[in-house]
Amino acid sequence: MRYLFFLIFYAFLVQDLYSHEVKGRVVFKENTPVFGANVNIYNENRDTKILSTTTDPEGYFNINLEEGVYFFEATYVEKNRRFVGYSGKNPLLVSGSEYIGIRLLPLYKFKEQKVKNNKTKVIGQVLFEDKPLKDSIVYFYLSGRDIKGMPYVYSMPTNKKGFFEINDILPGKYFIVARKKISGSLFGPIEEGDFIGFFQHNPINLEKGKVYSIVIPVFKKVQDDVPIQVSAKYKITGYAIDEKGNPVSGVYAFAYKNKEMGHERPISISKKTKKDGYFELPIPESGKYYIGVRQFYGGTPLQGELYGLYEQTYDHHIYVDKNIENIKITVRKILR
Amino acid sequence: MFRRILVSLLLFFCFYGISNACVGKTIYIGHLDTKEEEMVSNILSRLITERTGTSVKLKKYSNVSALLNSASSGEVDLFVFDSNKINELSKTTDFEKAKSDFNTKFNLVFLKPLLESKSDYTVPIIRKDTLKKFPALPRLIEKLNGLVQPSVISDLVKDSEKRGTKDTVRDFLKSKNLI
Amino acid sequence: MKVLNIIFFIITTVNCLYAKNLPVKEIFTEEVWRGEILVEGVVAVRKEGKLTIEPGTVILFKSIDIDDDGIGDSELYVEGTIIAKGSKDAPIVFTSESNDKIPSSWKYIMVNHAKYAYFEHVLFEGAFSGLQVHFTKAIVKNSIFRNNVDGFRFSTANIYVCNNKMTKNRHGIRYEERDSKGIIEFNSIQENEIGIFPVTKCGDKVNFRYNNIEKNGYNIKVGDEQKENLSFKNNYFGMIFESEIRKKIYDKHFDKNLPIVNIKPYSKKPFLESDVKCLEEF
């Protein structure tokens, strides 16, 4: 009997360790949610599909994944036009709860042509919102995992028509990624305002004696795709702090009209807090709002998620009829 | 003007407070003051409550336009109209045209008709906002397709006069394996 | 029109003022309840507050329904700590102040984002929900949930629920498991309209085992938006043959769009009081 208990607890433990909730949202470039997009999760080399799901009317999806490295893609067809999008975090090590934002871009085909000189060549164009993007770099990787490491080769910055060329590349399978970092650096993590785009037919097998003409559409990394932008009449500003009073970074403040917070989408969400824990929450009009902060958005808060509610009123409301400044919200991990 | 804005704001907040102060989401089904329509609404209500746990309340109206006004202003989430009412309101007998009219003018969405024969039909109509909150509702309501013929409903009304609406509706839905 | 507006104004203002007048008592420090306590409106145990309820305490919730939604407004709302430890001879009682203990006479005990909750030898009756637990670690033992709409209700919680009786509720246990963990064992879930109601987002992270789930309208009924199959192994369903048990489990066998509730292996005899062994530690 004791053995059975042990087994059951062990089962809990294993489940806890290996199943992680991944939430995300698929949007078009105008930030409009995409209902019914297919979200496909591949292994890190994007050659085996692990599972698929579809987005809800607000563009959200929600899946459980075992710990591992994954490649996230979304596809969608509207009026015979095909769209595809990739998470800028690809390939992503899922070892806890994650949020994935995916922006859909129109699908571009590529051309291949035989040439006599037996060399392999790639000519391409980098586009941002259908227009050429100058000064972006195109990186060729030998495996999916390398995308966050060293490329095999990379291009010169694209010219003002967005073009680049790689002459005489070794034939083989490549992952192609275009980036333009605002800092001007060639490497390092993608930050807000940087551009990133995945070649939509990754991985591509480049054959000997062929010229490939490709297009790589890119998107601009916004701060984790804040889904709600409201025109603000007022704002609530304040700080997320921990129980010792230190600022907490990486959380969003939110405002609900609904006391039960969570049955509907919030009216407003702030940007993610930085090191100082500071947030600004736009409020559309005067009234009673229920206020808190959390680590992820979309769906129910998770165990271990950073979460806190405004504590000056028992039901966590603030009546807003002017700007409210310098509120403090204490953040704790749910159920820890 | 200022007062009117104030009033509507107050109204809005009070209404909001009331509809949310309790214990979850509530769906309001509107119907006209006839026994048959009330029966159909009771069937819908019971089905939704039993299957989703969401509370449902009925609201009775004396005429079509009052019901429609309530639906477009958000006081009613769901109601059922037959083609007679729709044809009269939208001045057309074309289902598709009526459907698009209701959508653009009132933000109301036609679900799959519960009954259809030639040009006559009975269709559940839902607010777009409600649909966003309850995206699975159409699929649930569709389970009633073909089951609420006038003859069936009038039998149920008769039965309910003997044993009460609650039992009649429950037994009807149970007999169809729907709850 | 102007007159109408003014009337409207008065009605809504009164309504709002009245709504605001729902009394709220807040507990910020340690408080002990004993004897008879009347809750009128909201009692909120705040984050740093701790409410201890002594054995034999009777908590009466006043039947007021200011918002006219058919559900009493009086409630106990806990975000701090609650310890309600009654005894077999002197249970703690949460009930309606009025004589008829009909469901929804009062709202609920809501334990939400709280520090800790412990309930033992407690009677919950006449509420909308006897007890709701969300985002909290809670232990509920040796208690009775009777004549509520939802007896015990939870979502995203770490719970241990042992040797309770849920009876004559609309839903004995209602839950959206979401990110919950826990064990629900040795409970008698009998004579409810629905014994167990997994509404949506349920998996098998909460383990229902060794429960007597019988004599309910449906012993288990799966919510319309529940997608995954569920497992209720090692419970007793009041009957010996699977075909009989299946008649009282509303799942794919009734509606092909619903998932399946797996029940095998199931117990062919009820769990008795002598079988009950609640964990000491959780």
Side-chain angles (χ1 to χ4, degrees):
Chain A
M1 197 61 197
R2 187 177 287 168
Y3 185 61
L4 182 70
F5 277 125
F6 175 75
L7 260 183
I8 287 162
F9 278 108
Y10 184 70
F12 273 125
L13 208 67
V14 169
Q15 205 159 21
D16 192 26
L17 278 176
Y18 289 103
S19 184
H20 303 294
E21 186 163 6
V22 176
K23 296 175 181 196
R25 195 175 201 214
V26 179
V27 295
F28 281 124
K29 72 169 191 233
E30 306 80 358
N31 267 338
T32 51
V34 184
F35 179 19
N38 291 309
V39 178
N40 305 314
I41 290 97
Y42 293 88
N43 66 341
E44 63 175 326
N45 277 327
R46 211 205 156 277
D47 44 22
T48 309
K49 195 190 278 186
I50 287 155
L51 56 96
S52 303
T53 183
T54 50
T55 54
D56 71 14
E58 294 299 323
Y60 289 103
F61 65 88
N62 198 331
I63 41 163
N64 286 300
L65 290 172
E66 292 180 357
E67 184 158 322
V69 181
Y70 299 95
F71 202 93
F72 295 84
E73 172 198 271
T75 60
Y76 186 68
V77 181
E78 187 183 66
K79 293 175 186 151
N80 287 328
R81 205 162 170 207
R82 294 176 66 194
F83 293 84
V84 61
Y86 298 96
S87 163
K89 295 176 178 171
N90 280 335
L92 177 68
L93 169 66
V94 174
S95 62
S97 307
E98 286 289 351
Y99 184 87
I100 305 285
I102 300 182
R103 195 166 294 268
L104 289 180
L105 299 167
L107 179 67
Y108 292 89
K109 290 178 184 161
F110 70 93
K111 278 188 228 153
E112 48 180 282
Q113 251 181 327
K114 277 197 173 161
V115 286
K116 284 176 190 161
N117 65 5
N118 259 349
K119 285 186 176 168
T120 305
K121 183 175 175 176
V122 180
I123 303 169
Q125 191 182 24
V126 177
L127 298 179
F128 174 62
E129 298 189 347
D130 298 322
K131 293 190 188 88
L133 185 71
K134 189 173 174 270
D135 290 334
S136 47
I137 313 280
V138 180
Y139 303 78
F140 288 68
Y141 298 93
L142 296 176
S143 74
R145 172 166 288 182
D146 288 352
I147 290 176
K148 289 196 171 159
M150 284 305 287
Y152 172 69
V153 65
Y154 57 93
S155 74
M156 295 291 287
T158 50
N159 65 19
K160 64 180 178 198
K161 289 191 172 169
F163 279 100
F164 70 92
E165 249 184 49
I166 300 277
N167 284 307
D168 202 4
I169 189 171
L170 195 74
K173 204 189 247 185
Y174 291 94
F175 282 80
I176 309 175
V177 179
R179 294 188 189 92
K180 177 177 174 177
K181 287 182 67 64
I182 295 308
S183 65
S185 62
L186 281 172
F187 302 106
I190 289 293
E191 284 153 355
E192 197 178 354
D194 290 351
F195 298 85
I196 179 167
F198 294 80
F199 176 50
Q200 293 165 325
H201 305 275
N202 274 338
I204 183 172
N205 193 23
L206 302 178
E207 291 172 28
K208 195 175 173 183
K210 281 190 177 175
V211 175
Y212 294 83
S213 305
I214 70 171
V215 172
I216 308 177
V218 299
F219 60 91
K220 199 187 219 169
K221 161 92 175 163
V222 290
Q223 202 198 23
D224 261 332
D225 301 328
V226 172
I228 295 171
Q229 309 274 339
V230 296
S231 56
K233 191 168 173 191
Y234 305 109
K235 64 183 177 186
I236 298 174
T237 57
Y239 295 88
I241 54 172
D242 64 17
E243 284 177 278
K244 289 175 188 151
N246 300 318
V248 174
S249 65
V251 293
Y252 307 87
F254 58 77
Y256 278 93
K257 286 255 45 150
N258 177 345
K259 185 180 177 180
E260 297 187 331
M261 296 186 262
H263 281 160
E264 288 168 16
R265 292 189 53 213
I267 290 284
S268 172
I269 294 179
S270 76
K271 287 188 171 179
K272 224 175 194 177
T273 57
K274 301 212 165 99
K275 276 182 188 162
D276 58 2
Y278 178 76
F279 60 78
E280 275 188 21
L281 196 54
I283 297 294
E285 58 189 1
S286 57
K288 198 175 183 182
Y289 294 86
Y290 298 88
I291 308 296
V293 300
R294 61 177 294 193
Q295 193 175 356
F296 309 117
Y297 46 68
T300 322
L302 299 168
Q303 297 216 7
E305 178 174 343
L306 294 169
Y307 191 92
L309 295 167
Y310 177 69
E311 291 290 343
Q312 295 306 304
T313 50
Y314 90 94
D315 60 357
H316 317 293
H317 86 267
I318 295 181
Y319 190 84
V320 181
D321 55 2
K322 58 178 186 298
N323 288 339
I324 308 282
E325 285 164 5
N326 206 18
I327 67 166
K328 300 233 168 27
I329 297 181
T330 306
V331 175
R332 299 170 179 89
K333 279 192 169 179
I334 288 175
L335 281 162
R336 293 286 191 276
Chain B
M1 187 60 198
F2 174 70
R3 179 175 289 166
R4 193 173 295 175
I5 292 170
L6 197 67
V7 166
S8 45
L9 267 178
L10 268 170
L11 243 185
F12 173 70
F13 289 125
C14 289
F15 179 73
Y16 221 99
I18 288 164
S19 62
N20 289 301
C22 60
V23 271
K25 307 177 267 195
T26 303
I27 292 174
Y28 291 89
I29 300 181
H31 64 85
L32 293 190
D33 193 4
T34 70
K35 286 178 178 169
E36 288 72 20
E37 295 205 10
E38 189 165 355
M39 179 56 70
V40 172
S41 299
N42 272 305
I43 291 170
L44 271 171
S45 159
R46 186 75 188 241
L47 178 72
I48 294 168
T49 306
E50 291 264 341
R51 296 293 294 270
T52 68
T54 307
S55 33
V56 181
K57 289 191 172 158
L58 302 193
K59 284 188 172 180
K60 205 179 277 187
Y61 290 86
S62 58
N63 63 70
V64 171
S65 58
L67 170 50
L68 197 60
N69 281 341
S70 283
S72 56
S73 71
E75 287 164 47
V76 162
D77 296 293
L78 174 68
F79 56 99
V80 178
F81 270 5
D82 59 25
S83 39
N84 289 334
K85 293 195 190 84
I86 292 166
N87 295 348
E88 201 181 306
L89 282 166
S90 62
K91 310 264 184 291
T92 170
T93 52
D94 180 350
F95 177 81
E96 289 301 326
K97 180 154 189 319
K99 187 175 167 178
S100 110
D101 264 12
F102 270 67
N103 189 338
T104 49
K105 279 187 202 155
F106 308 114
N107 264 329
L108 294 169
V109 178
F110 282 23
L111 302 182
K112 279 195 188 156
L114 294 173
L115 299 171
E116 253 182 311
S117 64
K118 290 177 193 157
S119 60
D120 292 339
Y121 58 88
T122 302
V123 65
I125 301 173
I126 189 167
R127 290 179 62 234
K128 262 188 212 165
D129 288 348
T130 310
L131 201 54
K132 275 189 191 166
K133 276 186 243 170
F134 302 92
L137 212 49
R139 204 193 60 196
L140 180 61
I141 295 171
E142 267 173 37
K143 293 180 197 294
L144 290 173
N145 288 6
L147 298 180
V148 291
Q149 296 95 339
S151 60
V152 173
I153 295 300
S154 82
D155 285 353
L156 290 176
V157 168
K158 274 178 219 152
D159 184 54
S160 73
E161 280 158 4
K162 281 181 237 148
R163 342 189 264 136
T165 309
K166 202 179 162 193
D167 288 357
T168 300
V169 170
R170 184 198 57 217
D171 291 351
F172 170 72
L173 288 168
K174 278 213 164 187
S175 73
K176 307 291 179 193
N177 267 348
L178 286 172
I179 61 171
Chain C
M1 192 60 202
K2 206 167 188 181
V3 174
L4 200 67
N5 260 350
I6 291 168
I7 292 172
F8 242 23
F9 183 80
I10 292 168
I11 291 171
T12 51
T13 309
V14 167
N15 199 343
C16 276
L17 289 177
Y18 199 41
K20 274 181 190 161
N21 277 347
L22 186 67
V24 177
K25 174 189 150 73
E26 297 177 65
I27 296 174
F28 291 97
T29 54
E30 294 207 6
E31 181 159 329
V32 178
W33 283 1
R34 59 177 72 88
E36 193 175 286
I37 303 282
L38 180 69
V39 173
E40 183 176 1
V42 180
V43 171
V45 181
R46 302 297 303 277
K47 209 82 191 179
E48 304 309 323
K50 180 180 179 185
L51 175 61
T52 306
I53 305 176
E54 294 195 342
T57 306
V58 177
I59 297 97
L60 300 167
F61 290 85
K62 204 168 167 69
S63 295
I64 38 175
D65 185 11
I66 287 173
D67 57 15
D68 200 25
D69 64 351
I71 297 169
D73 299 328
S74 294
E75 63 171 270
L76 176 57
Y77 184 77
V78 182
E79 290 188 339
T81 304
I82 182 167
I83 308 290
K85 193 170 181 177
S87 67
K88 199 164 190 176
D89 302 325
I92 292 165
V93 178
F94 291 102
T95 189
S96 165
E97 182 216 21
S98 63
N99 287 328
D100 50 344
K101 312 295 186 188
I102 51 168
S104 293
S105 302
W106 54 287
K107 198 183 276 179
Y108 45 46
I109 297 170
M110 167 69 82
V111 177
N112 191 24
H113 289 284
K115 290 202 160 165
Y116 182 61
Y118 185 95
F119 296 89
E120 185 171 3
H121 291 296
V122 175
L123 168 66
F124 304 83
E125 71 174 354
F128 176 78
S129 312
L131 175 61
Q132 289 202 21
V133 178
H134 308 275
F135 306 106
T136 304
K137 178 173 176 176
I139 291 174
V140 186
K141 292 201 286 198
N142 310 326
S143 294
I144 298 171
F145 297 80
R146 185 171 69 196
N147 284 331
N148 307 284
V149 174
D150 303 322
F152 175 58
R153 177 164 165 176
F154 69 94
S155 73
T156 308
N158 287 355
I159 46 166
Y160 182 63
V161 179
C162 182
N163 193 34
N164 302 285
K165 188 175 173 78
M166 287 83 178
T167 188
K168 298 192 167 65
N169 306 285
R170 188 185 295 162
H171 308 116
I173 298 180
R174 168 180 175 155
Y175 70 113
E176 297 183 11
E177 184 181 280
R178 299 181 185 268
D179 206 9
S180 294
K181 283 184 251 182
I183 298 175
I184 296 184
E185 62 182 359
F186 299 116
N187 300 286
S188 289
I189 303 163
Q190 296 164 327
E191 295 178 63
N192 304 282
E193 282 182 43
I194 311 293
I196 299 174
F197 187 25
V199 180
T200 182
K201 310 251 179 199
C202 297
D204 290 326
K205 288 196 267 185
V206 173
N207 185 0
F208 286 80
R209 63 183 186 194
Y210 318 143
N211 299 292
N212 294 326
I213 311 168
E214 55 172 339
K215 299 174 192 145
N216 301 289
Y218 284 108
N219 289 324
I220 301 172
K221 180 175 188 173
V222 174
D224 191 53
E225 289 168 50
Q226 171 64 22
K227 302 279 191 281
E228 285 174 54
N229 291 345
L230 293 171
S231 168
F232 285 82
K233 290 176 186 167
N234 299 310
N235 294 285
Y236 173 67
F237 293 101
M239 281 156 289
I240 291 170
F241 298 108
E242 194 186 352
S243 57
E244 290 295 312
I245 294 174
R246 284 273 161 220
K247 287 182 188 162
K248 295 276 191 170
I249 296 181
Y250 195 90
D251 68 350
K252 199 182 186 74
H253 296 81
F254 284 78
D255 182 335
K256 63 178 173 21
N257 296 320
L258 292 176
I260 291 177
V261 173
N262 295 307
I263 51 168
K264 286 202 278 196
Y266 56 85
S267 174
K268 291 187 177 162
K269 54 183 178 32
F271 298 96
L272 306 173
E273 225 175 295
S274 54
D275 297 325
V276 173
K277 282 182 197 69
C278 293
L279 299 175
E280 286 303 316
E281 292 282 321
F282 182 74

